[in-house]
mmCIF file of all heavy atoms in Angstrom:
data_model
loop_
_atom_site.group_PDB
_atom_site.id
_atom_site.type_symbol
_atom_site.label_atom_id
_atom_site.label_comp_id
_atom_site.label_asym_id
_atom_site.label_seq_id
_atom_site.Cartn_x
_atom_site.Cartn_y
_atom_site.Cartn_z
ATOM 1 N N VAL A 178 -7.230 12.395 -1.901
ATOM 2 C CA VAL A 178 -8.279 12.981 -2.782
ATOM 3 C C VAL A 178 -9.069 11.866 -3.441
ATOM 4 O O VAL A 178 -10.278 11.920 -3.523
ATOM 5 C CB VAL A 178 -7.582 13.891 -3.821
ATOM 6 C CG1 VAL A 178 -8.602 14.424 -4.799
ATOM 7 C CG2 VAL A 178 -6.873 15.048 -3.115
ATOM 8 N N VAL A 179 -8.386 10.850 -3.951
ATOM 9 C CA VAL A 179 -9.072 9.784 -4.636
ATOM 10 C C VAL A 179 -10.044 9.047 -3.706
ATOM 11 O O VAL A 179 -11.153 8.760 -4.052
ATOM 12 C CB VAL A 179 -8.027 8.730 -5.258
ATOM 13 C CG1 VAL A 179 -8.718 7.518 -5.768
ATOM 14 C CG2 VAL A 179 -7.251 9.450 -6.346
ATOM 15 N N THR A 180 -9.590 8.759 -2.448
ATOM 16 C CA THR A 180 -10.485 8.090 -1.547
ATOM 17 C C THR A 180 -11.654 8.946 -1.167
ATOM 18 O O THR A 180 -12.792 8.428 -0.975
ATOM 19 C CB THR A 180 -9.733 7.592 -0.236
ATOM 20 O OG1 THR A 180 -9.099 8.739 0.347
ATOM 21 C CG2 THR A 180 -8.748 6.527 -0.518
ATOM 22 N N ARG A 181 -11.438 10.224 -1.072
ATOM 23 C CA ARG A 181 -12.578 11.107 -0.750
ATOM 24 C C ARG A 181 -13.561 11.245 -1.929
ATOM 25 O O ARG A 181 -14.803 11.155 -1.753
ATOM 26 C CB ARG A 181 -12.067 12.534 -0.350
ATOM 27 C CG ARG A 181 -13.119 13.360 0.322
ATOM 28 C CD ARG A 181 -12.577 14.574 1.007
ATOM 29 N NE ARG A 181 -11.708 14.169 2.154
ATOM 30 C CZ ARG A 181 -10.402 14.479 2.191
ATOM 31 N NH1 ARG A 181 -9.838 15.202 1.290
ATOM 32 N NH2 ARG A 181 -9.647 14.081 3.221
ATOM 33 N N VAL A 182 -13.042 11.423 -3.135
ATOM 34 C CA VAL A 182 -13.898 11.601 -4.300
ATOM 35 C C VAL A 182 -14.742 10.342 -4.513
ATOM 36 O O VAL A 182 -15.939 10.475 -4.865
ATOM 37 C CB VAL A 182 -13.038 11.945 -5.570
ATOM 38 C CG1 VAL A 182 -13.846 11.785 -6.850
ATOM 39 C CG2 VAL A 182 -12.487 13.333 -5.445
ATOM 40 N N PHE A 183 -14.100 9.179 -4.368
ATOM 41 C CA PHE A 183 -14.859 7.937 -4.654
ATOM 42 C C PHE A 183 -15.497 7.346 -3.391
ATOM 43 O O PHE A 183 -15.978 6.232 -3.416
ATOM 44 C CB PHE A 183 -13.926 6.875 -5.323
ATOM 45 C CG PHE A 183 -13.520 7.274 -6.697
ATOM 46 C CD1 PHE A 183 -12.273 7.791 -6.949
ATOM 47 C CD2 PHE A 183 -14.422 7.149 -7.738
ATOM 48 C CE1 PHE A 183 -11.895 8.154 -8.259
ATOM 49 C CE2 PHE A 183 -14.102 7.519 -9.029
ATOM 50 C CZ PHE A 183 -12.824 8.026 -9.323
ATOM 51 N N LYS A 184 -15.488 8.125 -2.296
ATOM 52 C CA LYS A 184 -16.143 7.755 -1.048
ATOM 53 C C LYS A 184 -15.653 6.414 -0.546
ATOM 54 O O LYS A 184 -16.431 5.492 -0.237
ATOM 55 C CB LYS A 184 -17.653 7.786 -1.167
ATOM 56 C CG LYS A 184 -18.185 9.177 -1.578
ATOM 57 C CD LYS A 184 -19.673 9.239 -1.502
ATOM 58 C CE LYS A 184 -20.235 10.547 -1.954
ATOM 59 N NZ LYS A 184 -19.582 11.755 -1.679
ATOM 60 N N LEU A 185 -14.349 6.275 -0.470
ATOM 61 C CA LEU A 185 -13.703 5.015 -0.029
ATOM 62 C C LEU A 185 -13.147 5.099 1.413
ATOM 63 O O LEU A 185 -12.433 4.213 1.813
ATOM 64 C CB LEU A 185 -12.584 4.674 -1.011
ATOM 65 C CG LEU A 185 -12.992 4.370 -2.435
ATOM 66 C CD1 LEU A 185 -11.779 4.285 -3.338
ATOM 67 C CD2 LEU A 185 -13.910 3.184 -2.547
ATOM 68 N N GLU A 186 -13.537 6.132 2.162
ATOM 69 C CA GLU A 186 -12.989 6.309 3.504
ATOM 70 C C GLU A 186 -13.339 5.128 4.404
ATOM 71 O O GLU A 186 -12.599 4.831 5.335
ATOM 72 C CB GLU A 186 -13.506 7.585 4.150
ATOM 73 C CG GLU A 186 -13.043 8.861 3.483
ATOM 74 C CD GLU A 186 -14.059 9.392 2.502
ATOM 75 O OE1 GLU A 186 -14.921 8.648 2.044
ATOM 76 O OE2 GLU A 186 -13.936 10.568 2.154
ATOM 77 N N CYS A 187 -14.464 4.466 4.173
ATOM 78 C CA CYS A 187 -14.811 3.283 4.945
ATOM 79 C C CYS A 187 -14.662 2.001 4.171
ATOM 80 O O CYS A 187 -15.301 0.974 4.502
ATOM 81 C CB CYS A 187 -16.278 3.462 5.455
ATOM 82 S SG CYS A 187 -16.493 4.710 6.691
ATOM 83 N N LYS A 188 -13.820 2.045 3.205
ATOM 84 C CA LYS A 188 -13.491 0.877 2.399
ATOM 85 C C LYS A 188 -11.983 0.761 2.205
ATOM 86 O O LYS A 188 -11.517 0.504 1.096
ATOM 87 C CB LYS A 188 -14.223 0.907 1.057
ATOM 88 C CG LYS A 188 -15.739 0.871 1.166
ATOM 89 C CD LYS A 188 -16.374 0.971 -0.158
ATOM 90 C CE LYS A 188 -17.878 1.027 0.038
ATOM 91 N NZ LYS A 188 -18.589 1.318 -1.207
#
Side-chain angles (χ1 to χ4, degrees):
V178 175
V179 171
T180 55
R181 194 166 295 119
V182 167
F183 292 103
K184 300 189 185 321
L185 299 171
E186 294 96 341
C187 288
K188 296 178 183 173

